[in-house]
Amino acid sequence: MQGTGEQKRARVLDPVDRVTEVIFGLLMAMTFTGTISVATSGQEAERTMMFAALGCNLAWGLADAVMYLLRSLIERTRKRTLFTALRGGADAATGQALIADALPPRLVAAAGPEELESLRLRLIKFANTSEQPRLTWEDIRGAIGVFLLVVASTFPLVVPFLLLDQTALAVRLSNLVGLVVLFIAGWILARYAGAKPWVGGVALAVTGAVLIVAIIALGG
């Protein structure tokens, strides 16, 4: 049980999950602020920008958090279904096929029939099929983390609207801040993956720049 808890905590704290949620939130906010600038002008423009970006990411963060919980429950249900099938009298060949379907193809090819059979026997011996799939506190923590990351990614983009009176300049500066954050996110992901950090940073920043150019071309 302790090992299972540690595995769940590791998933909640996965740096890839954290950084990608920030990226999603940034791109969503950048797209929304750029698009809404077409329809806003005057004194209410900056306030509209801030509330629109924040409201957009509040909704996106809530939806993403719910999907996180749903994905966790589906994964747990799928595992229980596998364990039940293995302990329900499936023969060796059927059991190995079930395990192979649940594993990445390359891992299955590397393991071979003997390792799959060994894994099948261990799962039959230790798998717990009496516990119903349910959400745990670790899942709730993960969903809250997803929500907060998506929402928090909005704030660097709205700071220019708080400091500047010129809406057009604030939009451009907000986009620049977004590109810097995207570069940092790409740097972190590439470094985590063992690739060249600057390549990942530039690639993600360029992706964001292309998106911003498209928004501006459409009138943002």
Side-chain angles (χ1 to χ4, degrees):
M1 295 298 293
Q2 184 178 0
T4 303
E6 291 176 354
Q7 185 178 9
K8 292 178 182 177
R9 281 192 291 273
R11 183 180 62 180
V12 171
L13 300 176
D14 188 346
V16 175
D17 288 339
R18 289 178 176 268
V19 175
T20 51
E21 291 300 338
V22 171
I23 293 172
F24 294 153
L26 273 173
L27 293 178
M28 181 69 69
M30 291 168 70
T31 303
F32 202 82
T33 55
T35 303
I36 201 171
S37 66
V38 178
T40 54
S41 60
Q43 297 180 350
E44 294 297 321
E46 296 178 7
R47 185 177 180 182
T48 302
M49 288 278 192
M50 290 185 292
F51 281 104
L54 181 58
C56 175
N57 274 20
L58 280 171
W60 176 260
L62 180 60
D64 212 12
V66 172
M67 292 306 299
Y68 178 92
L69 293 175
L70 181 61
R71 183 172 65 250
S72 299
L73 187 59
I74 290 175
E75 289 177 355
R76 202 160 291 131
T77 303
R78 186 167 180 262
K79 290 179 181 178
R80 184 178 184 275
T81 301
L82 172 62
F83 296 155
T84 301
L86 291 176
R87 302 191 70 176
D91 56 46
T94 302
Q96 291 178 26
L98 291 172
I99 295 174
D101 288 339
L103 295 176
R106 291 187 178 181
L107 183 58
V108 174
E114 294 182 359
E115 286 76 7
L116 289 177
E117 176 62 15
S118 176
L119 179 58
R120 184 186 73 88
L121 295 176
R122 287 198 297 270
L123 289 176
I124 291 175
K125 182 177 180 180
F126 296 107
N128 181 14
T129 58
S130 61
E131 184 177 353
Q132 293 294 326
R134 59 184 178 83
L135 295 175
T136 66
W137 171 240
E138 294 297 332
D139 297 320
I140 302 298
R141 283 182 60 238
I144 293 174
V146 167
F147 176 79
L148 293 178
L149 284 170
V150 173
V151 175
S153 64
T154 308
F155 290 100
L157 302 182
V158 303
V159 170
F161 298 102
L162 298 174
L163 301 178
L164 300 175
D165 295 330
Q166 298 178 352
T167 302
L169 179 59
V171 170
R172 303 302 178 243
L173 185 57
S174 176
N175 290 337
L176 179 60
V177 171
L179 289 178
V180 172
V181 178
L182 285 174
F183 177 85
I184 296 173
W187 179 285
I188 294 173
L189 287 177
R191 184 176 181 181
Y192 179 80
K196 295 181 179 180
W198 68 269
V199 174
V202 170
L204 197 54
V206 169
T207 301
V210 171
L211 177 61
I212 293 173
V213 169
I215 293 171
I216 294 175
L218 293 173

